[in-house]
Amino acid sequence: HSADNEFPDARKNPGSSRDYGLFYKIPEKPVRQKPTDSPSPAQPIQKGTQIMEYQVKIIDSPENADKGTLFTIDNYMWTCLTKTKAYGTMTYLKDKGFYVEMTCEEKNPKKEYHNYMDPVCKDSAMEIFLAFPPKGEPLTNDCMYTNFEINANAALYAAYGKGRKNRSSMPQQYLKTCSCRTTIHQDRWTLSLLIPEPFLKKECGLSQLDEITEFYCNFYKISESPEIEHYAAYHPINNPTPNFHLPIHFAKARITP
């Protein structure tokens, strides 16, 4: 069962922007400025250490996404030929799922792919990873986690599974509800997306999603193309080679009023 059109197009965007979307448009709001970069932690990151907790605020409408906790993708790792600023918010729409808005301050983003499950990480992409360890069990890299990856064409790559080797694409029946949308401005591009709660429960095996659910998150900016190769994360990853698929290095997340 797919949700009805929950995110109607309230108004057109300025002529300087170009909209890309699979299904619906979400009203554009002023871009929130990225705060001053926080200093890097003085101590080295230990394996599997969560150095921050991300507060996922509960909202009743995408229009209130600005009440969300701002995350900044400012841990640049491995090969970084470019260092673009990227940031956003993830909030929780009760019974609907996680609503994400992200911004990357990047001109003319690489965007060659257009279709669902295209390898958008070879373009310029922003990504959302969520991990859900079994209740009462420690966080491992083989727990259930999802990865949503989006380029500036609103081409979506969405997968789930336990560990990196056992992954499946999100069934296409959820694409309409995801309402993936991007807007390209002169000096940046933005995205919005819903990670559907029915998908998390039916396909990923979540029994509940509320203030006591234990889960973890990370947000990324990436391109694997040699001419602009870069890797940046919200929560740092302590690994010698590029690999975003390491839930033990995700930040702890918590749904909160």
PDB file of all heavy atoms in Angstrom, residues 158-171:
ATOM      1  N   ALA A 158      18.694   2.792  -3.180  1.00  0.00           N
ATOM      2  CA  ALA A 158      18.248   2.465  -1.827  1.00  0.00           C
ATOM      3  C   ALA A 158      18.332   0.962  -1.606  1.00  0.00           C
ATOM      4  O   ALA A 158      17.747   0.182  -2.357  1.00  0.00           O
ATOM      5  CB  ALA A 158      16.817   2.946  -1.606  1.00  0.00           C
ATOM      6  N   ALA A 159      19.072   0.567  -0.580  1.00  0.00           N
ATOM      7  CA  ALA A 159      19.270  -0.854  -0.306  1.00  0.00           C
ATOM      8  C   ALA A 159      19.193  -1.116   1.191  1.00  0.00           C
ATOM      9  O   ALA A 159      19.279  -0.202   2.015  1.00  0.00           O
ATOM     10  CB  ALA A 159      20.619  -1.324  -0.863  1.00  0.00           C
ATOM     11  N   TYR A 160      19.032  -2.402   1.540  1.00  0.00           N
ATOM     12  CA  TYR A 160      18.958  -2.784   2.942  1.00  0.00           C
ATOM     13  C   TYR A 160      19.468  -4.208   3.080  1.00  0.00           C
ATOM     14  O   TYR A 160      19.556  -4.962   2.106  1.00  0.00           O
ATOM     15  CB  TYR A 160      17.521  -2.684   3.463  1.00  0.00           C
ATOM     16  CG  TYR A 160      16.572  -3.709   2.883  1.00  0.00           C
ATOM     17  CD1 TYR A 160      16.209  -4.855   3.600  1.00  0.00           C
ATOM     18  CD2 TYR A 160      16.047  -3.551   1.599  1.00  0.00           C
ATOM     19  CE1 TYR A 160      15.343  -5.797   3.064  1.00  0.00           C
ATOM     20  CE2 TYR A 160      15.186  -4.488   1.058  1.00  0.00           C
ATOM     21  CZ  TYR A 160      14.833  -5.612   1.792  1.00  0.00           C
ATOM     22  OH  TYR A 160      13.991  -6.548   1.255  1.00  0.00           O
ATOM     23  N   GLY A 161      19.832  -4.582   4.301  1.00  0.00           N
ATOM     24  CA  GLY A 161      20.293  -5.940   4.549  1.00  0.00           C
ATOM     25  C   GLY A 161      21.209  -5.983   5.752  1.00  0.00           C
ATOM     26  O   GLY A 161      21.532  -4.948   6.351  1.00  0.00           O
ATOM     27  N   LYS A 162      21.608  -7.191   6.119  1.00  0.00           N
ATOM     28  CA  LYS A 162      22.513  -7.400   7.248  1.00  0.00           C
ATOM     29  C   LYS A 162      23.934  -7.553   6.720  1.00  0.00           C
ATOM     30  O   LYS A 162      24.261  -8.547   6.092  1.00  0.00           O
ATOM     31  CB  LYS A 162      22.081  -8.632   8.051  1.00  0.00           C
ATOM     32  CG  LYS A 162      20.727  -8.459   8.724  1.00  0.00           C
ATOM     33  CD  LYS A 162      20.346  -9.675   9.551  1.00  0.00           C
ATOM     34  CE  LYS A 162      19.015  -9.456  10.263  1.00  0.00           C
ATOM     35  NZ  LYS A 162      18.617 -10.633  11.081  1.00  0.00           N
ATOM     36  N   GLY A 163      24.751  -6.528   6.979  1.00  0.00           N
ATOM     37  CA  GLY A 163      26.116  -6.537   6.473  1.00  0.00           C
ATOM     38  C   GLY A 163      26.188  -6.055   5.034  1.00  0.00           C
ATOM     39  O   GLY A 163      25.167  -5.866   4.362  1.00  0.00           O
ATOM     40  N   ARG A 164      27.399  -5.854   4.548  1.00  0.00           N
ATOM     41  CA  ARG A 164      27.575  -5.285   3.208  1.00  0.00           C
ATOM     42  C   ARG A 164      27.306  -6.286   2.091  1.00  0.00           C
ATOM     43  O   ARG A 164      26.909  -5.903   0.983  1.00  0.00           O
ATOM     44  CB  ARG A 164      29.000  -4.723   3.081  1.00  0.00           C
ATOM     45  CG  ARG A 164      29.217  -3.985   1.773  1.00  0.00           C
ATOM     46  CD  ARG A 164      30.396  -3.054   1.777  1.00  0.00           C
ATOM     47  NE  ARG A 164      30.368  -2.185   0.601  1.00  0.00           N
ATOM     48  CZ  ARG A 164      31.236  -1.222   0.368  1.00  0.00           C
ATOM     49  NH1 ARG A 164      32.204  -0.973   1.246  1.00  0.00           N
ATOM     50  NH2 ARG A 164      31.156  -0.479  -0.713  1.00  0.00           N
ATOM     51  N   LYS A 165      27.490  -7.577   2.367  1.00  0.00           N
ATOM     52  CA  LYS A 165      27.373  -8.570   1.301  1.00  0.00           C
ATOM     53  C   LYS A 165      25.944  -9.040   1.077  1.00  0.00           C
ATOM     54  O   LYS A 165      25.616  -9.542   0.004  1.00  0.00           O
ATOM     55  CB  LYS A 165      28.267  -9.772   1.618  1.00  0.00           C
ATOM     56  CG  LYS A 165      29.757  -9.442   1.605  1.00  0.00           C
ATOM     57  CD  LYS A 165      30.599 -10.669   1.908  1.00  0.00           C
ATOM     58  CE  LYS A 165      32.094 -10.335   1.893  1.00  0.00           C
ATOM     59  NZ  LYS A 165      32.922 -11.525   2.213  1.00  0.00           N
ATOM     60  N   ASN A 166      25.097  -8.914   2.079  1.00  0.00           N
ATOM     61  CA  ASN A 166      23.741  -9.457   1.973  1.00  0.00           C
ATOM     62  C   ASN A 166      22.721  -8.332   1.816  1.00  0.00           C
ATOM     63  O   ASN A 166      21.903  -8.085   2.696  1.00  0.00           O
ATOM     64  CB  ASN A 166      23.411 -10.286   3.228  1.00  0.00           C
ATOM     65  CG  ASN A 166      24.409 -11.399   3.453  1.00  0.00           C
ATOM     66  OD1 ASN A 166      24.591 -12.248   2.595  1.00  0.00           O
ATOM     67  ND2 ASN A 166      25.072 -11.382   4.605  1.00  0.00           N
ATOM     68  N   ARG A 167      22.767  -7.667   0.654  1.00  0.00           N
ATOM     69  CA  ARG A 167      21.925  -6.496   0.479  1.00  0.00           C
ATOM     70  C   ARG A 167      20.924  -6.682  -0.649  1.00  0.00           C
ATOM     71  O   ARG A 167      21.179  -7.375  -1.629  1.00  0.00           O
ATOM     72  CB  ARG A 167      22.783  -5.248   0.240  1.00  0.00           C
ATOM     73  CG  ARG A 167      23.866  -5.090   1.305  1.00  0.00           C
ATOM     74  CD  ARG A 167      24.432  -3.708   1.454  1.00  0.00           C
ATOM     75  NE  ARG A 167      23.471  -2.714   1.901  1.00  0.00           N
ATOM     76  CZ  ARG A 167      22.925  -2.721   3.132  1.00  0.00           C
ATOM     77  NH1 ARG A 167      23.212  -3.676   3.999  1.00  0.00           N
ATOM     78  NH2 ARG A 167      22.077  -1.778   3.476  1.00  0.00           N
ATOM     79  N   SER A 168      19.765  -6.051  -0.471  1.00  0.00           N
ATOM     80  CA  SER A 168      18.703  -6.082  -1.478  1.00  0.00           C
ATOM     81  C   SER A 168      18.259  -4.657  -1.761  1.00  0.00           C
ATOM     82  O   SER A 168      18.354  -3.780  -0.897  1.00  0.00           O
ATOM     83  CB  SER A 168      17.493  -6.872  -0.963  1.00  0.00           C
ATOM     84  OG  SER A 168      17.863  -8.184  -0.595  1.00  0.00           O
ATOM     85  N   SER A 169      17.771  -4.424  -2.974  1.00  0.00           N
ATOM     86  CA  SER A 169      17.241  -3.100  -3.281  1.00  0.00           C
ATOM     87  C   SER A 169      15.880  -2.926  -2.621  1.00  0.00           C
ATOM     88  O   SER A 169      15.117  -3.885  -2.472  1.00  0.00           O
ATOM     89  CB  SER A 169      17.132  -2.903  -4.792  1.00  0.00           C
ATOM     90  OG  SER A 169      16.272  -3.876  -5.350  1.00  0.00           O
ATOM     91  N   MET A 170      15.592  -1.701  -2.194  1.00  0.00           N
ATOM     92  CA  MET A 170      14.275  -1.413  -1.637  1.00  0.00           C
ATOM     93  C   MET A 170      13.220  -1.682  -2.705  1.00  0.00           C
ATOM     94  O   MET A 170      13.361  -1.223  -3.847  1.00  0.00           O
ATOM     95  CB  MET A 170      14.204   0.058  -1.195  1.00  0.00           C
ATOM     96  CG  MET A 170      12.867   0.465  -0.618  1.00  0.00           C
ATOM     97  SD  MET A 170      12.764   2.248  -0.256  1.00  0.00           S
ATOM     98  CE  MET A 170      12.714   2.936  -1.931  1.00  0.00           C
ATOM     99  N   PRO A 171      12.168  -2.451  -2.389  1.00  0.00           N
ATOM    100  CA  PRO A 171      11.118  -2.699  -3.390  1.00  0.00           C
ATOM    101  C   PRO A 171      10.562  -1.397  -3.951  1.00  0.00           C
ATOM    102  O   PRO A 171      10.341  -0.430  -3.221  1.00  0.00           O
ATOM    103  CB  PRO A 171      10.055  -3.471  -2.604  1.00  0.00           C
ATOM    104  CG  PRO A 171      10.821  -4.153  -1.513  1.00  0.00           C
ATOM    105  CD  PRO A 171      11.908  -3.181  -1.131  1.00  0.00           C
TER     106      PRO A 171
END
